[in-house]
Amino acid sequence: MCGICGALGIPGRPLPEEGLLRAMRESLAHRGPDDAGAWTDAPRAVHLGHRRLSVLDLSPLGRQPMESADGRYVVTFNGEIYNFRSLRAELEIKGHRFRGTSDTEVLLAAVVEWGVEGALERFNGMFAFGLWDRREERLWLARDRVGEKPLYYGKVGEAFLFASELKAFRAWPRFSGTVNRDALALYLKYGYVPAPWSIYAGVFKLRPGHLLVADRPSGDIRFQERPYWSFGPPATGDGRKDLSEGGLREAEERLEGLLLDSVRLRLESDVPLGAFLSGGIDSSTVVALMGRLAGGRVRTFTIGFREEGYDEAGAARRVARHLGTDHTELYVTPAEARGAIPRLPEIYDEPFADSSQIPTFLVSQLARRHVTVTLSGDGGDELFGGYARYAVAEFLWRKVRRIPRLVRRGVATLVDAVWPEDLDVWAGRALEALAPRLARRGSRLRMKRVAGVLRFRRFEELYDDLVSPWKEALEAVPGARPAAVEAFGGGPDGASPLEIMTRIDLRTYLPDDILVKVDRASMAVALEVRTPFLDHRLVEWAVALPESLKVREGRSKWLLRRILYRYVAPELVERPKMGFGVPMGEWLRGPLREWAEDLLDPDRLCREGFLNPRRVRRIWFDHISGRADRHSALWSVLMFQAWFEKERRARGA
């Protein structure tokens, strides 16, 4: 795993001096502490930078940026091409010769043989790269299919820049770092900045499964982004029906085969390797298959918390004992966990508000003391219907769609007009008392929320509302445009609610929240994380899997559980889904209250001008008074405020 960056200028107009180019690269040193390299063609105004975390071919023959054997291409590459050995064998038959054993050299030979798009079709991996074509004078950027590895790009003055993280942009002369208010509104709505936006105006994320071509046809840099992959059509028609017993066995064998091959490819490493283990379905499946393939004891890692409802260490310990892993766990005190908070703005580099970023960073720190590469179970929820919110959303939609639309609109208007906020809070508490089962499923309904649900015309609108921690985000950001926070598109015509939700999450929540969280937390300590569930072959197969094999009789991940039970007894993993979080709501009312009060000071909010003080203070008072649990929305605000404070200090403002 590595940090990459580059700059494309206009010939005849020199790029900045060497020291500034080096500063851009060195801002990414945490991603690659083992080596550094640069390649510059000053007359053509091209610069590529690289920081290396050595995982494959630890020799100097793996150094980057690397040139192709024919000298046409130069690449700076972050990630892994897992099937590089089979590609290398195929390329050797075609006459290619290799000096070292790295996947980077195979990447270059594949581009020489098949072109950029032809090579991308053949790659199985997680990656982001910048590739300079010296003959055509064209820069190619590409990102892996699912979005495991990050890549930002944009124009700053006359130059076109790209980098693994935004830190590199801030090292560039004349970079203004203007906050994009539309992106800020999106961030507050979802808790992350969704691609293609970044928090900075004029800087974008390359979307998963996309490539970008930049060239200079008439003395100016032009670039265009386009997709090279999609995860395919959903199950339709007969594909949604239950399978026969023979078909079910075939599906089980196919799933286990795909998982085994995905894990096998991700065990390729020249450095120590382990796995994160929570004791849940996904991570336990990965570890079980690692044990079958590795031929030795697997190293596993877990972080534990003493607070009830947040500790997964006991479950992980039982699974580890059953599978015979070399298990390491670390119990973290609340004070130690909160001690990571000041580092978060620097680690995540733009506002990011999934509070499980804290334990993710801590478990990455723990693992890095022992290994350089870990495997994780991320992606299983999106592929096999594992999130509790999926059941909640379908339940609500079944109820709402039975009511005629005109009646829904009338009731919603009436509620908005006559339902006072105090009564709304009382109604929510009454619902929890009268319908605790619904409350346990995560649906803390309020009458105002019901009014909003009644207005939805499409299921996508309901789900978009359900996953938004702060619905009023647009109103909280002066200057943001309404179109910027419209609901994301859903599935194709005829798609079921589960298909719509999983497709939305595969496009947005997975790459822009889950994978960002893991990448930044792990790379902050130079740890590479690999995710077997996100092998594109498995993704394509799972997307088209009949729903009855994903969720059956109220049980999610039904088919995946059948695979896991071949290795682990059901009673070891059957427990309510806990997630990987911290008691942020309690912390904000207690030990973090003074810190939060400072960042949410009304005079400060007015001076900065990004957030509406009245809106922010309202959710703050609702939370600390106990009237409502607003910790998700507050954490989004606080992470933006902490990030902006870091920005302000860096600029000496």
Side-chain angles (χ1 to χ4, degrees):
M1 203 56 54
C2 306
I4 65 173
C5 62
L8 178 64
I10 306 296
R13 303 172 196 172
L15 292 172
E17 62 188 48
E18 182 181 347
L20 292 171
L21 296 173
R22 187 184 305 114
M24 186 181 185
R25 182 192 70 194
E26 293 310 297
S27 69
L28 305 171
H30 56 287
R31 298 185 70 92
D34 297 331
D35 196 8
W39 183 92
T40 302
D41 183 341
R44 308 313 303 158
V46 182
H47 173 78
L48 304 178
H50 190 265
R51 288 291 320 200
R52 184 184 183 194
L53 175 64
S54 300
V55 173
L56 293 171
D57 191 351
L58 310 186
S59 77
L61 294 176
R63 294 194 70 188
Q64 296 188 49
M66 184 183 293
E67 295 188 41
S68 61
D70 64 0
R72 176 176 173 179
Y73 298 103
V74 188
V75 72
T76 181
F77 166 63
N78 169 31
E80 306 287 351
I81 307 298
Y82 297 123
N83 62 333
F84 79 100
R85 293 196 184 279
S86 61
L87 290 174
R88 176 175 173 138
E90 184 178 355
L91 289 162
E92 285 176 331
I93 293 173
K94 293 178 177 292
H96 292 267
R97 296 294 175 260
F98 298 89
R99 299 178 301 114
T101 59
S102 73
D103 55 346
T104 309
E105 197 174 356
V106 173
L107 181 156
L108 285 164
V111 171
V112 170
E113 181 66 32
W114 298 303
V116 174
E117 294 181 75
L120 286 169
E121 289 176 3
R122 290 166 169 82
F123 292 160
N124 182 335
M126 59 173 183
F127 53 82
F129 63 77
L131 179 84
W132 174 242
D133 183 340
R134 300 173 74 177
R135 188 176 77 188
E136 299 294 331
E137 295 197 11
R138 181 173 294 159
L139 177 68
W140 296 81
L141 304 183
R143 191 176 177 201
D144 64 70
R145 294 171 176 86
V146 187
E148 293 183 66
K149 293 295 103 184
L151 194 58
Y152 293 86
Y153 69 89
K155 287 187 72 174
V156 178
E158 294 183 335
F160 176 86
L161 308 182
F162 69 90
S164 298
E165 297 182 17
L166 290 171
K167 296 175 178 66
F169 285 79
R170 292 196 293 269
W172 192 259
R174 296 173 55 195
F175 178 66
S176 64
T178 302
V179 172
N180 181 337
R181 290 180 180 269
D182 293 343
L184 175 57
L186 282 166
Y187 159 73
L188 292 174
K189 183 177 183 182
Y190 296 108
Y192 57 85
V193 180
W197 296 277
S198 84
I199 194 61
Y200 293 129
V203 180
F204 304 93
K205 299 181 179 82
L206 187 61
R207 284 172 284 194
H210 280 63
L211 58 82
L212 179 147
V213 183
D215 54 19
R216 305 171 293 199
S218 57
D220 187 26
I221 300 172
R222 298 182 181 178
F223 53 93
Q224 184 175 21
E225 179 182 334
R226 65 176 184 266
Y228 68 86
W229 179 82
S230 65
F231 36 72
T236 55
D238 291 341
R240 290 188 188 158
K241 297 179 180 178
D242 288 342
L243 297 178
S244 65
E245 188 60 32
L248 176 58
R249 285 197 300 271
E250 182 181 341
E252 288 180 2
E253 296 307 315
R254 178 61 173 157
L255 176 55
E256 185 174 30
L258 284 168
L259 282 168
L260 279 167
D261 195 51
S262 178
V263 171
R264 177 187 63 80
L265 288 172
R266 285 155 182 80
L267 292 178
E268 183 76 46
S269 177
D270 294 333
V271 294
L273 182 146
F276 295 147
L277 178 62
S278 69
I281 301 296
D282 303 333
S283 66
S284 298
T285 301
V286 169
V287 171
L289 297 178
M290 288 176 70
R292 173 174 169 179
L293 293 166
R297 296 187 72 189
V298 176
R299 296 216 60 162
T300 53
F301 304 94
T302 300
I303 287 288
F305 295 94
R306 301 294 181 189
E307 284 129 315
E308 185 178 352
Y310 295 90
D311 181 33
E312 296 182 317
R317 189 184 315 120
R318 290 188 290 273
V319 172
R321 187 181 302 120
H322 176 80
L323 293 174
T325 73
D326 182 0
H327 190 59
T328 302
E329 67 180 35
L330 175 67
Y331 269 85
V332 179
T333 68
E336 289 171 325
R338 293 191 297 269
I341 292 174
R343 295 192 60 182
L344 298 179
E346 181 67 23
I347 290 171
Y348 285 89
D349 217 21
E350 69 178 341
F352 183 77
D354 184 336
S355 61
S356 63
Q357 63 200 130
I358 297 172
T360 302
F361 171 67
L362 295 172
V363 76
S364 296
Q365 254 188 343
L366 171 66
R368 188 61 177 93
R369 297 171 193 164
H370 306 274
V371 299
T372 308
V373 177
T374 62
L375 272 61
S376 82
D378 293 310
D381 286 312
E382 289 82 2
L383 294 181
F384 297 99
Y387 289 121
R389 62 176 179 262
Y390 291 164
V392 172
E394 289 198 73
F395 171 83
L396 290 174
W397 188 242
R398 284 197 303 270
K399 299 297 183 184
V400 167
R401 67 186 306 180
R402 294 175 185 170
I403 306 172
R405 184 177 298 175
L406 288 177
V407 175
R408 281 189 262 153
R409 291 176 60 185
V411 172
T413 301
L414 180 64
V415 168
D416 281 342
V418 305
W419 195 269
E421 188 173 343
D422 287 345
L423 193 57
D424 187 40
V425 174
W426 174 86
R429 291 172 179 166
L431 178 68
E432 290 173 5
L434 296 171
R437 185 169 179 270
L438 187 59
R440 282 197 302 270
R441 294 178 70 181
S443 184
R444 292 172 57 85
L445 294 176
R446 301 287 187 266
M447 286 305 294
K448 292 290 187 181
R449 184 73 173 271
V450 170
V453 169
L454 291 173
R455 282 197 175 88
F456 297 139
R457 294 171 297 174
R458 299 183 302 131
F459 176 75
E460 289 88 336
E461 295 174 334
L462 183 150
Y463 187 62
D464 183 75
D465 180 82
L466 190 67
V467 299
S468 303
W470 195 5
K471 314 302 176 296
E472 305 86 5
L474 176 65
E475 301 167 7
V477 184
R481 297 170 299 170
V485 290
E486 290 179 352
F488 287 100
D493 292 342
S496 68
L498 181 61
E499 290 168 339
I500 290 171
M501 290 184 288
T502 54
R503 282 174 171 267
I504 289 174
D505 284 348
L506 283 167
R507 285 199 308 267
T508 58
Y509 180 69
L510 177 67
D512 294 327
D513 185 305
I514 299 299
L515 297 179
V516 167
K517 174 183 67 180
V518 173
D519 176 81
R520 304 306 192 278
S522 60
M523 293 312 297
V525 295
L527 177 75
E528 177 176 307
V529 177
R530 301 174 178 178
T531 51
F533 281 106
L534 299 185
D535 186 300
H536 71 277
R537 300 167 300 169
L538 178 56
V539 172
E540 292 167 354
W541 184 81
V543 164
L545 193 67
E547 278 187 35
S548 62
L549 298 187
K550 296 180 182 180
V551 179
R552 181 176 292 193
E553 298 175 353
R555 291 167 61 82
S556 65
K557 305 181 184 178
W558 188 80
L559 186 66
L560 183 60
R561 291 173 192 267
R562 289 173 69 93
I563 304 303
L564 177 59
Y565 296 161
R566 298 178 177 184
Y567 302 89
V568 177
E571 57 268 22
L572 289 177
V573 292
E574 289 296 347
R575 57 188 175 89
K577 188 174 180 63
M578 186 179 297
F580 195 37
V582 293
M584 188 56 66
E586 300 169 24
W587 288 1
L588 289 175
R589 294 189 185 102
L592 293 181
R593 180 167 178 172
E594 184 177 352
W595 168 76
E597 283 278 14
D598 180 59
L599 291 173
L600 303 180
D601 177 74
D603 292 337
R604 177 178 187 155
L605 295 173
C606 285
R607 284 195 310 272
E608 293 167 349
F610 292 110
L611 301 175
N612 183 316
R614 183 175 61 85
R615 298 275 181 183
V616 171
R617 297 299 292 184
R618 179 175 176 178
I619 63 170
W620 174 240
F621 288 132
D622 280 349
H623 185 78
I624 61 174
S625 68
R627 289 164 57 91
D629 183 356
R630 303 304 305 270
H631 79 269
S632 293
L634 285 170
W635 189 242
S636 296
V637 174
L638 290 164
M639 284 293 94
F640 171 74
Q641 289 295 101
W643 172 84
F644 186 72
E645 173 68 10
K646 177 187 72 74
E647 289 278 287
R648 186 183 64 79
R649 290 180 177 175
R651 299 179 189 185

